[in-house]
Amino acid sequence: MSAASLSNQMHSSKKQIIKIIVADPIDGCSALQQATTKESFPVFYLVHGREGSCTYTKKAHNARKSLANGIIIIDSEKGINNLGLLSSKDYFQVFLLPEKEGDYIVTSAPS
């Protein structure tokens, strides 16, 4: 599994470090390893939206079951409307990332 950390500008003036784990398998359609880290950073799985035979909602549920704080889906235009709501009371976060930027992160992540 590859991992990369980045600084994410929050709504306030503070910065928050998050850990991004490239999902294995990258399609996120099957169970993912439990998202744990020695640091106290929130953990997000990065998955490809265009790969696999499952919906974006299934990818999000798999990441949530792994105890990740959220998921970043590398989005293809075709799949943009394929995400259902998880729950209005759920703090799990879902982000869609354009394909070009997502592919750059995947190829730049350390092995």
Side-chain angles (χ1 to χ4, degrees):
M1 219 181 323
S2 300
S5 295
L6 65 110
S7 177
N8 181 25
Q9 185 68 40
M10 304 301 281
H11 295 290
S12 68
S13 60
K14 295 181 181 180
K15 290 185 178 183
Q16 169 132 16
I17 303 296
I18 64 171
K19 184 171 187 174
I20 297 175
I21 300 172
V22 177
D24 183 19
I26 189 72
D27 65 14
C29 289
S30 56
L32 300 169
Q33 280 189 346
Q34 186 170 335
T36 58
T37 180
K38 293 177 185 173
E39 306 89 0
S40 60
F41 305 142
V43 176
F44 286 74
Y45 267 111
L46 180 70
V47 301
H48 266 294
R50 68 179 182 266
E51 295 186 18
S53 59
C54 67
T55 65
Y56 284 18
T57 302
K58 176 70 174 169
K59 294 170 192 287
H61 279 292
N62 286 339
R64 186 173 184 269
K65 281 198 255 182
S66 76
L67 305 180
N69 299 91
I71 187 170
I72 301 168
I73 300 172
I74 301 171
D75 189 38
S76 59
E77 187 177 329
K78 182 171 89 174
I80 199 159
N81 296 318
N82 194 16
L83 184 62
L85 295 175
L86 296 172
S87 165
S88 60
K89 296 180 182 180
D90 197 340
Y91 293 102
F92 184 83
Q93 298 178 19
V94 177
F95 297 98
L96 298 178
L97 184 67
E99 219 166 3
K100 182 178 177 182
E101 288 82 357
D103 288 341
Y104 175 78
I105 291 173
V106 170
T107 58
S108 303
S111 300

